[in-house]
């Protein structure tokens, strides 16, 4: 059975019920990951957990060392990664607390270290990224949601913005016109780096707020954090169900 890793985002710096085995500091050719990697047992199965923004949530989205994080997971023989991400809801039905499993993304980030294919190349490499998320892992998440009775929005387009500021109302309107359903700051280059390393990668997003211009009030960190609490409880249940189902899969 392949080892599953979870990259936790805002609102998920540890997983309730995860039995700690050990923490491992991994140094990579691309620098230091966001935190030591946690080896643990969840639902009787070995998993690896990494908080994307660091153990104390101190690393902003544009400063996350995405290459080190993904390289470290690969180094630990992880084969599948679930990225948990807080997002703003663009599509009107996506209210705070909703879980979305995106099937597409658009990258609006810039200036991030976005590829492993830079030096010492024997040939130029272009990954296929038509489907940015792993189809099998997405399907497993959707099935786990059905089995556990956790409502999931089964597809959507994630717009990855640079941050750390939130968007302007007009930027959100542009994202909507482009076809984005949710907006977050960490989806890229995480997804494409995972593909470059051959890791199966899917995203489980929790809507933390209505995106800029779609709500009457100012968006605050308190609002984001408090909306994430209930959503992250559901994410944990979803992960437990997923591990249970994976265990039963021959
Ligand atoms: N925009 C971008 N990233 C986010 C948001 C948002 O509104 N909410 C949580 N992460």
């Amino acid at each position: 059975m392949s080892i599953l890793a979870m990259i936790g985002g805002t609102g998920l710096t540890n997983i309730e019920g995860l039995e700690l085995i050990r923490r491992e500091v991994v140094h990579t050719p691309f620098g230091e990951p966001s935190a030591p990697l946690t080896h643990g047992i969840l639902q009787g199965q070995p998993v690896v957990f990494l908080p994307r923004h660091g153990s104390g949530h101190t690393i902003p989205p544009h400063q996350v060392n995405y290459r080190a994080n993904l390289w470290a997971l690969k180094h630990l023989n992880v084969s599948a990664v679930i990225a948990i991400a807080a997002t703003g809801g663009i599509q009107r039905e996506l209210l705070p607390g909703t879980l979305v499993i995106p099937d597409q993304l658009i990258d609006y980030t810039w200036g991030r270290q976005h590829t492993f294919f830079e030096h010492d190349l024997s040939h130029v490499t272009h990954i296929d990224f038509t489907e940015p998320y792993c189809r099998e892992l997405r399907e497993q998440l959707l099935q786990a949601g059905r089995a556990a009775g956790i409502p999931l929005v089964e597809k959507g387009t994630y717009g990855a913005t640079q941050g750390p500021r939130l968007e302007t109302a007009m930027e959100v309107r542009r994202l909507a016109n482009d076809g984005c359903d949710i907006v977050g700051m960490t989806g890229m280059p995480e997804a494409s780096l995972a593909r470059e390393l051959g890791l199966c990668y899917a995203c489980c997003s929790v809507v933390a707020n209505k995106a800029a211009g779609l709500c009457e009030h100012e968006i605050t960190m308190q609002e984001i954090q408090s909306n994430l609490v209930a959503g992250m409880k559901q994410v944990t249940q979803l992960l437990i169900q997923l591990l249970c189902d994976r265990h039963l899969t021959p």
Side-chain angles (χ1 to χ4, degrees), residues 138-216:
R138 281 191 74 255
E139 196 45 49
Q140 287 174 21
L141 279 168
L142 299 181
Q143 276 174 15
R146 286 176 211 129
I150 298 168
L152 300 175
V153 174
E154 301 208 346
K155 56 186 186 167
T157 298
Y158 178 115
T161 55
Q162 178 69 357
R165 66 167 176 83
L166 295 165
E167 297 70 36
T168 65
M170 216 43 166
E171 284 169 338
V172 169
R173 193 186 289 184
R174 182 178 74 141
L175 292 168
N177 287 339
D178 284 356
C180 296
D181 300 297
I182 48 178
V183 54
M185 300 174 192
T186 56
M188 283 293 285
E190 203 172 79
S192 56
L193 289 168
R195 181 66 53 83
E196 285 189 357
L197 292 179
L199 291 165
C200 178
Y201 175 99
C203 171
C204 175
S205 139
V206 181
V207 177
N209 55 283
K210 287 181 155 219
L214 302 177
C215 55
E216 279 75 54

Side-chain angles (χ1 to χ4, degrees), residues 11 70 80 86 92 95 114 136 171 197 208 224 234 246 250:
L70 273 302
R92 289 194 185 266
L95 302 177
H114 67 285
E136 292 75 31
E171 284 169 338
L197 292 179
I224 291 182
Q234 289 202 307
R246 278 166 71 90

Side-chain angles (χ1 to χ4, degrees), residues 59-199:
I59 310 170
H62 63 295
Q63 281 175 354
V64 170
N65 190 338
Y66 295 95
R67 293 197 298 186
N69 286 351
L70 273 302
W71 193 97
L73 292 176
K74 179 81 179 175
H75 178 72
L76 297 185
N77 279 327
V78 158
S79 58
V81 180
I82 298 193
I84 295 129
T87 52
I90 297 178
Q91 207 198 90
R92 289 194 185 266
E93 302 87 82
L94 298 180
L95 302 177
T98 310
L99 268 56
V100 184
I101 311 298
D103 63 331
Q104 274 298 327
L105 63 78
I106 301 179
D107 186 10
Y108 300 92
T109 66
W110 48 269
R112 300 182 181 191
Q113 300 284 352
H114 67 285
T115 181
F116 291 108
F117 301 139
E118 274 185 334
H119 304 295
D120 307 324
L121 298 180
S122 55
H123 57 276
V124 177
T125 309
H126 304 285
I127 51 160
D128 181 283
F129 207 45
T130 313
E131 284 186 47
Y133 301 107
C134 172
R135 194 185 283 189
E136 292 75 31
L137 193 54
R138 281 191 74 255
E139 196 45 49
Q140 287 174 21
L141 279 168
L142 299 181
Q143 276 174 15
R146 286 176 211 129
I150 298 168
L152 300 175
V153 174
E154 301 208 346
K155 56 186 186 167
T157 298
Y158 178 115
T161 55
Q162 178 69 357
R165 66 167 176 83
L166 295 165
E167 297 70 36
T168 65
M170 216 43 166
E171 284 169 338
V172 169
R173 193 186 289 184
R174 182 178 74 141
L175 292 168
N177 287 339
D178 284 356
C180 296
D181 300 297
I182 48 178
V183 54
M185 300 174 192
T186 56
M188 283 293 285
E190 203 172 79
S192 56
L193 289 168
R195 181 66 53 83
E196 285 189 357
L197 292 179
L199 291 165

